[in-house]
C-alpha cells in the first residue's frame, strides 16, 4: 500500500509539470550535491561497516564520481534541454524538424550492493536532469549504506518527488508489480531478466546494467610492468567486487611467467606481505559470497594468495591457474579477488574463446601494436573497455557506459544519463503558405514524381 500510495503521489506531482522546469531541475541537483557533502562522513562510515571499504575507494569510486557527475550535469543541462534541430526533407517541404527530449514520468532505480552509493545515485542524477520523479531501491546487503542513503534522500526531497524503499527481494518484487514509466536496473543477469519480464507487461522501457566475464588480454609486446600494475589495481579494487573488473586473464605464453611475477610484485606493493592487515583491502560482502568464492578456489592451481578466513570475510588477492575451461572459476562471474590466468599463442585463439561466451560488459587488451589493437576490437564485442588500461573508461563523462547482449542494454553517464531518462519526441512543424497537392487523390499521373522525390 505504501509503494502504491507513493507512486500515485509521484504521478500527481509529475502532472503539475514542475519537474520539467530548468530551474527546478538545477535546484534539485544543487540540493543533492549539498546533501552528499553534508552526509559524506556518514557514508564513509556506512561503507566501512558494510564491507570495510577504504575511505579512498569510497570517495574515488563512489562519492567523488557522483559529485563529478552532478557538476557535469549542472554545467550542461540548459544546452541539453534545448530542442535539437535536424535536417528537413523534400517530402515535407516547407517545414522544420526538431527532437524534443521529454521526461518519461516516474522512474524506478534499483541498485546492487558492490558500489551501493554510486550505482544508485548516479542514475538518479540522470533522472533528475531529465525531469522525472524517481523511486529508489538501494541494495539490502549493504544495510548501513542503504539506511544512510535513505536518511539523506528523505531529509532533502519530498517523497512525492524522490522516494526510497529499503528492504530485501520482497520489496523489489512488490515494486516490479507496479507500473513505472521507465526502469533502470543494475545487478545480475538473472535478476535483470526478471526485471525485463515484469516491465514487458506494461511495455515499460528498461535500462539494464548487468555483468559478465570481462576478459583481459596481454600480448607478448605489452609493457608488462605497466600491465601488471594496472591489472592488479583494477582486479583487486573493492576486493574484486566490481562489475567491470578483469574476470579472467589471457596472457601470451611467452610472457606468462614475467607477467605473473609482475602481478605478485604489484599485489605486495599495494597491500603488503599480508593483505589481511592492509587498511586498503576491502572485505567480501557476506557469507553467501564467501561460499561462492570458496567454490571458485576448489579446482585449479593457486599461483599466489588463496588464503580464506571466513570469520573475517577475507579472501586474499589470488592468482589461479584453472585446470580447464570447465572449472567453476571460468563458468561463472567471480565477483571477488580471484584472477584466473590462462595462456594463448595467437590472437585467433583469443577471439575464438571470447566470442564463444556471452558478450562481456568490459574488454581489456594490453599491446603495443595498434594493428593488433584494431584487429582484436574489430573481431570481438563488449559493452566497453580499454586498451592498455582497465576499469577507467567508466569515468569519462563523454562516453556512454553500459553493456550489450547478456551484459545489459542502454548506456549512461554524462549526456547519456540525460538521454537514458528522456523520451525523444520528434516534431515536424509544417508551413501553411504552401500546400503541394501531390499527395492528395486522385493519384493518376503522380507515381513517377513520387518515385523521383523519394529516390
Amino acid at each position: 500500500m505504501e509503494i502504491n500510495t507513493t507512486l500515485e503521489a509521484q504521478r500527481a506531482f509529475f502532472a503539475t509539470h514542475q519537474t520539467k522546469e530548468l530551474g527546478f531541475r538545477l535546484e534539485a541537483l544543487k540540493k543533492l550535491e549539498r546533501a552528499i557533502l553534508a552526509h559524506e562522513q556518514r557514508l564513509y562510515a556506512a561503507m566501512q561497516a558494510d564491507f570495510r571499504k577504504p575511505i579512498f575507494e569510497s570517495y574515488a569510486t563512489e562519492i567523488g564520481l557522483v559529485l563529478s557527475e552532478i557538476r557535469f550535469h549542472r554545467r550542461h543541462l540548459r544546452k541539453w534541454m534545448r530542442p535539437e534541430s535536424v535536417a528537413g526533407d523534400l517530402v515535407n517541404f516547407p517545414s522544420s524538424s526538431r527532437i524534443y527530449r521529454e521526461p518519461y514520468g516516474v522512474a524506478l532505480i534499483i541498485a546492487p550492493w558492490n558500489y551501493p552509493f554510486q550505482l544508485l545515485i548516479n542514475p538518479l542524477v540522470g533522472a533528475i536532469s531529465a525531469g522525472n520523479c524517481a523511486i529508489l531501491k538501494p541494495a539490502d546487503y549493504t544495510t548501513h549504506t542503504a539506511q544512510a542513503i535513505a536518511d539523506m534522500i528523505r531529509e532533502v526531497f519530498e517523497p512525492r518527488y524522490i522516494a526510497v524503499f529499503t528492504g530485501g527481494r520482497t520489496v523489489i518484487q512488490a515494486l516490479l508489480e507496479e507500473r513505472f514509466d521507465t526502469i533502470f536496473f543494475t545487478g545480475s543477469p538473472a535478476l535483470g531478466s526478471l526485471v525485463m519480464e515484469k516491465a514487458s507487461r506494461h511495455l515499460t522501457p528498461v535500462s539494464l546494467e548487468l555483468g559478465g566475464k570481462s576478459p583481459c588480454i596481454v600480448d607478448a609486446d605489452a609493457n608488462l610492468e605497466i600491465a601488471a600494475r594496472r591489472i592488479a589495481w583494477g582486479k583487486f579494487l573493492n576486493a574484486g567486487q566490481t562489475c567491470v573488473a578483469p574476470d579472467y586473464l589471457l596472457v601470451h605464453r611467452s610472457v606468462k611467467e614475467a607477467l605473473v611475477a609482475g602481478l605478485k610484485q604489484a599485489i605486495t606493493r599495494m597491500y603488503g606481505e599480508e593483505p589481511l592487515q592492509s587498511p586498503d583491502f576491502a572485505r567480501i560482502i557476506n557469507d553467501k559470497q564467501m561460499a561462492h568464492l570458496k567454490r571458485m578456489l576448489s579446482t585449479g592451481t593457486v599461483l599466489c594468495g588463496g588464503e580464506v578466513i571466513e570469520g573475517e570475510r577475507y579472501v586474499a588477492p589470488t592468482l589461479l591457474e584453472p585446470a580447464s575451461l570447465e572449472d567453476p572459476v571460468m563458468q561463472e562471474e567471480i565477483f571477488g579477488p580471484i584472477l584466473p590466468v590462462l595462456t594463448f599463442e595467437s590472437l585467433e585463439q583469443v577471439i575464438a574463446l571470447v566470442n564463444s561466451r556471452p558478450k562481456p560488459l568490459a574488454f581489456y587488451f594490453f599491446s603495443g601494436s595498434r594493428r593488433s589493437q584494431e584487429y582484436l576490437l574489430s573481431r570481438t564485442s563488449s559493452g566497453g573497455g580499454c586498451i592498455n588500461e582497465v576499469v577507467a573508461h567508466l569515468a569519462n563523462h563523454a562516453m556512454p557506459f553500459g553493456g550489450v547482449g547478456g551484459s545489459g542494454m542502454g548506456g549512461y553517464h554524462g549526456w547519456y544519463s540525460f538521454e537514458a531518462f528522456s523520451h525523444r519526441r520528434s516534431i515536424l512543424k509544417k508551413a501553411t503558405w504552401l500546400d503541394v497537392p501531390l499527395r492528395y487523390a486522385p493519384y493518376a499521373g503522380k507515381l513517377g514524381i513520387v518515385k523521383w522525390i523519394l529516390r
Side-chain angles (χ1 to χ4, degrees), residues 267-283:
I267 292 168
T268 301
R269 282 179 178 172
M270 289 191 295
Y271 306 115
E273 293 290 344
E274 295 185 36
L276 175 65
Q277 307 301 326
S278 172
D280 301 320
F281 190 68
R283 293 297 184 261

Side-chain angles (χ1 to χ4, degrees), residues 146-218:
Q147 192 58 55
I149 292 171
D151 291 345
M152 180 187 79
I153 293 295
R154 290 164 184 161
E155 184 180 297
V156 178
F157 297 115
E158 295 182 22
R160 64 175 184 160
Y161 176 42
I162 310 291
V164 183
F165 285 93
T166 58
R169 188 159 292 199
T170 55
V171 176
I172 295 178
Q173 291 171 340
L175 286 166
L176 291 176
E177 291 302 319
E178 301 290 344
R179 180 181 66 83
F180 289 87
D181 299 302
T182 187
I183 297 175
F184 192 103
F185 170 82
T186 306
S188 70
L191 193 50
S193 297
L194 174 64
V195 170
M196 194 168 183
E197 179 186 334
K198 294 290 187 180
S200 69
R201 295 179 307 164
H202 305 294
L203 300 179
T204 300
V206 297
S207 295
L208 301 177
E209 302 299 331
L210 309 178
K213 296 188 73 64
S214 298
C216 181
I217 300 102
V218 180

Side-chain angles (χ1 to χ4, degrees), residues 98-272:
R98 291 182 173 183
I99 299 172
Y100 291 77
R101 286 174 173 81
E102 60 182 25
Y104 281 114
V106 179
L108 172 62
I109 302 172
I110 303 174
W113 53 263
N114 59 322
Y115 289 88
F117 181 78
Q118 187 238 128
L119 294 179
L120 184 70
I121 306 302
N122 238 358
L124 175 62
V125 174
I128 290 172
S129 286
N132 299 274
C133 296
I135 288 180
L136 309 179
K137 171 58 183 73
D140 62 309
Y141 285 176
T142 45
T143 54
H144 298 88
T145 308
Q147 192 58 55
I149 292 171
D151 291 345
M152 180 187 79
I153 293 295
R154 290 164 184 161
E155 184 180 297
V156 178
F157 297 115
E158 295 182 22
R160 64 175 184 160
Y161 176 42
I162 310 291
V164 183
F165 285 93
T166 58
R169 188 159 292 199
T170 55
V171 176
I172 295 178
Q173 291 171 340
L175 286 166
L176 291 176
E177 291 302 319
E178 301 290 344
R179 180 181 66 83
F180 289 87
D181 299 302
T182 187
I183 297 175
F184 192 103
F185 170 82
T186 306
S188 70
L191 193 50
S193 297
L194 174 64
V195 170
M196 194 168 183
E197 179 186 334
K198 294 290 187 180
S200 69
R201 295 179 307 164
H202 305 294
L203 300 179
T204 300
V206 297
S207 295
L208 301 177
E209 302 299 331
L210 309 178
K213 296 188 73 64
S214 298
C216 181
I217 300 102
V218 180
D219 211 347
D221 62 354
N223 183 322
L224 297 183
E225 181 182 354
I226 293 291
R229 195 157 59 230
R230 292 177 180 177
I231 293 167
W233 167 77
K235 177 60 185 181
F236 303 117
L237 179 75
N238 201 35
Q241 298 164 117
T242 302
C243 58
V244 290
D247 200 86
Y248 62 99
L249 181 61
L250 289 167
V251 54
H252 194 277
R253 188 179 299 277
S254 65
V255 295
K256 176 196 170 186
E257 289 186 11
L259 182 66
V260 168
L263 287 166
K264 291 178 180 178
Q265 187 176 53
I267 292 168
T268 301
R269 282 179 178 172
M270 289 191 295
Y271 306 115

Side-chain angles (χ1 to χ4, degrees), residues 1-15:
M1 284 298 296
E2 186 181 353
I3 290 172
N4 183 263
T5 301
T6 301
L7 188 53
E8 290 305 313
Q10 290 203 353
R11 292 198 188 285
F13 184 60
F14 182 75

Side-chain angles (χ1 to χ4, degrees), residues 48-116:
Q48 277 267 327
D50 283 327
F51 51 134
R52 228 185 81 172
K53 190 168 186 137
I55 290 176
F56 179 90
E57 290 186 9
S58 293
Y59 186 83
T61 66
E62 305 239 31
I63 294 170
L65 280 181
V66 172
L67 290 172
S68 177
E69 182 84 357
I70 293 172
R71 290 158 188 162
F72 188 82
H73 280 247
R74 287 177 56 192
R75 284 198 305 272
H76 297 283
L77 183 56
R78 185 183 298 272
K79 179 178 68 175
W80 294 345
M81 287 178 62
R82 293 177 189 143
E84 178 187 355
S85 295
V86 297
D89 61 313
L90 186 58
V91 170
N92 286 305
F93 179 83
S95 68
S96 63
S97 299
R98 291 182 173 183
I99 299 172
Y100 291 77
R101 286 174 173 81
E102 60 182 25
Y104 281 114
V106 179
L108 172 62
I109 302 172
I110 303 174
W113 53 263
N114 59 322
Y115 289 88

